[in-house]
Amino acid sequence: MATTTLSKIETIREDFPELKRQFHGKPVVFLDSGASSLKPLPVIRALTDFYSYHYANVHRGIYQLSEEATDLYEGARTRTAKFIGAPSERGLIFTRGTTESLNLLAYSLGDTLGPGDEVVGTIMEHHSNQVPWQLLGKRRRTVLKHVGVTDEGVLEMGDYDKLVTDRTKIVTVTHVSNVLGTINPIKEISKIAHDHGAVCIVDGAQSTPHMPVDVKALGCDFFAFSGHKMCGPTGIGGLWGREELLEKMEPFLGGGDMIREVHLQESQWNELPYKFEAGTPNIAGAIGLGAAVDYLNHVGMEWVARHDEELIAYGMKRLHEQKGVRLLGPTDPKKHAGMLSFWLDYAHPHDIAQLMDSEAVCVRAGHHCAMPVNERFGVPATTRASVYLYNTEADLDAMVRAIDKVRRLFVR
Ligand code: ALA
């Protein structure tokens, strides 16, 4: 890597106080951003500044503090909408995160479906893009079908030709697999959905933090994402949807702010996006997400994507040098974002993660809330190292040294 790139990473690392922590006398090596990213100082400051000086409820008061809070909240919406290439902020609903966004769709859009209507997902989805559609099936007797995954960890695109028919109403797919790291061809999948009159939903939880996202270019109808994986606070995320579709959908939750008028037997809904934001929202969370978006824009998402690809390529090379490592997902780093999930022949992922912890290396072990894709590859669990803008090749070297320690302990 060039010196300029290194100095940029050093500057970035200074922004993340948690990276200064030590465990067992060793500096922390954080390789679990796929679960949740660390937070930079500008995001932490935005939260404390809001709570310290500008806090009040939004959309309700006609006093200055409430207007300030409303401006900060709506400003965050405008910048977040722009960050994902949304045509306007009216289509951007703040939710608790990707899981809530997908559940919102499974209710508000899903409940327009009837018996025999079909939803086409894939076997590489996170549980948050499987279970809501299973629940929909129980409520509305819809049929759920799944596109398969090749040995290389990419979608069996030919399955779409067989599975998507005129009975298909929804095609739902993850942009990046949270186990395999596979980057899926969303543009192509959106086109297949539209050719059959279906809508295309994209789970962007693992793509939005790692690459420039433009929902217009992706051609999808709905896009869900989480703030906490992209340097923002927990409990905030978004659902972008085409306005004409959101207009036709019934609200997910009822309560304050989502109404225009309430009578004893019926009500009229507020305009977009408030129709889908019942109750006092996560105001501070949204403002923190706005600060995270500013931070990522300042670093540059093209740079983040390039850095990610370089780290993935380096991590793949280092892991392939080890004995008994089976790495899941595409072998081409250009088709692979954010994470390296692997299986070691000689130790269970939970033991590996625990031993890595003794070296201050933080990784996730388990099924990563995506049991069907683990089953597909015949593994009960994997060890997953996930990288982000603050990671370096030295972090991956530390992980490989920890793997070596695991091997020495388990292989005699
Ligand atoms: N969905 C998060 C992950 O993949 C928690 O780790």
Side-chain angles (χ1 to χ4, degrees):
M1 253 182 256
T3 319
T4 48
T5 313
L6 269 180
S7 72
K8 179 156 181 161
I9 296 169
E10 278 161 8
T11 315
I12 289 170
R13 287 176 69 84
E14 283 298 307
D15 289 333
F16 291 83
E18 230 167 320
L19 291 175
K20 297 198 188 337
R21 292 208 56 193
Q22 298 213 341
F23 296 96
H24 325 292
K26 292 169 188 147
V28 69
V29 172
F30 192 77
L31 291 171
D32 195 22
S33 302
S36 201
S37 77
L38 301 180
K39 313 304 169 202
L41 285 167
V43 170
I44 298 165
R45 284 194 198 112
L47 293 173
T48 53
D49 190 59
F50 171 63
Y51 276 127
S52 305
Y53 303 111
H54 307 283
Y55 185 79
N57 212 330
V58 291
H59 305 147
R60 287 161 171 85
I62 26 175
Y63 50 94
Q64 179 153 350
L65 271 178
S66 174
E67 281 170 13
E68 274 177 26
T70 303
D71 286 349
L72 288 168
Y73 180 72
E74 292 302 333
R77 190 194 309 275
T78 305
R79 296 188 326 275
T80 307
K82 199 162 165 224
F83 187 73
I84 58 161
S88 88
E89 63 270 21
R90 270 173 51 86
L92 183 74
I93 300 152
F94 281 130
T95 63
R96 280 190 296 149
T98 307
T99 298
E100 184 175 296
S101 299
L102 294 169
N103 276 276
L104 185 161
L105 288 172
Y107 277 87
S108 295
L109 179 68
D111 279 357
T112 64
L113 272 54
D117 283 344
E118 295 183 358
V119 176
V120 174
T122 83
I123 68 166
M124 66 163 75
E125 301 307 308
H126 188 280
H127 296 162
S128 60
N129 205 19
Q130 298 283 16
V131 181
W133 307 111
Q134 295 170 1
L135 291 170
L136 174 67
K138 286 184 197 283
R139 290 198 308 280
R140 309 289 299 178
R141 287 193 286 130
T142 51
V143 178
L144 179 58
K145 295 185 165 174
H146 295 97
V147 167
V149 173
T150 67
D151 290 345
E152 161 86 347
V154 300
L155 290 174
E156 294 271 14
M157 291 301 289
D159 284 359
Y160 279 109
D161 294 334
K162 290 176 232 148
L163 298 181
V164 181
T165 68
D166 293 343
R167 287 190 301 278
T168 310
K169 302 294 180 232
I170 294 172
V171 172
T172 187
V173 60
T174 189
H175 195 177
V176 169
S177 158
N178 77 317
V179 174
L180 306 171
T182 316
I183 306 171
N184 287 322
I186 300 300
K187 214 169 161 176
E188 207 180 319
I189 297 168
S190 296
K191 185 172 179 321
I192 297 170
H194 293 157
D195 285 350
H196 289 84
V199 298
C200 181
I201 295 172
V202 176
D203 168 354
Q206 299 288 353
S207 62
T208 317
H210 295 276
M211 59 187 68
V213 165
D214 183 338
V215 293
K216 293 189 293 301
L218 292 174
C220 58
D221 301 288
F222 297 97
F223 187 89
F225 59 100
S226 296
H228 73 98
K229 292 190 203 286
M230 48 183 281
C231 298
T234 51
I236 189 74
L239 171 67
W240 170 79
R242 284 190 198 282
E243 287 172 38
E244 63 275 22
L245 296 173
L246 291 171
E247 294 282 10
K248 283 191 223 147
M249 285 159 48
E250 286 292 300
F252 175 39
L253 299 172
D257 226 19
M258 50 74 71
I259 50 83
R260 189 184 305 282
E261 272 182 42
V262 175
H263 304 283
L264 287 179
Q265 298 297 337
E266 59 178 43
S267 304
Q268 276 94 49
W269 314 137
N270 202 344
E271 63 184 358
L272 291 175
Y274 312 112
K275 177 171 117 176
F276 291 100
E277 290 183 4
T280 295
N282 182 352
I283 310 165
I287 291 167
L289 175 58
V293 159
D294 295 343
Y295 184 80
L296 290 172
N297 279 333
H298 175 72
V299 171
M301 287 308 291
E302 295 286 351
W303 184 90
V304 172
R306 209 167 45 245
H307 180 63
D308 190 282
E309 195 182 308
E310 283 169 5
L311 287 177
I312 292 296
Y314 183 75
M316 281 180 176
K317 176 170 120 3
R318 292 300 327 266
L319 283 170
H320 283 308
E321 285 163 9
Q322 310 308 305
K323 286 200 189 85
V325 174
R326 180 179 168 206
L327 189 57
L328 302 191
T331 47
D332 178 355
K334 290 201 183 312
K335 295 183 182 158
H336 195 130
M339 63 213 67
L340 296 163
S341 292
F342 56 92
W343 173 260
L344 292 188
D345 284 347
Y346 43 82
H348 190 277
H350 288 143
D351 295 327
I352 299 165
Q354 209 163 359
L355 273 158
M356 285 199 178
D357 180 47
S358 67
E359 297 295 309
V361 177
C362 312
V363 292
R364 187 174 173 193
H367 53 63
H368 313 300
C369 308
M371 286 171 119
V373 78
N374 284 265
E375 257 173 53
R376 159 66 181 84
F377 287 94
V379 289
T382 59
T383 307
R384 186 186 70 181
S386 46
V387 297
Y388 205 16
L389 73 170
Y390 36 69
N391 288 117
T392 62
E393 290 182 356
D395 291 340
L396 295 163
D397 290 338
M399 176 187 73
V400 169
R401 279 197 302 278
I403 291 178
D404 201 43
K405 187 174 168 190
V406 175
R407 192 177 48 77
R408 277 184 277 119
L409 265 167
F410 283 84
V411 184
R412 290 176 191 277

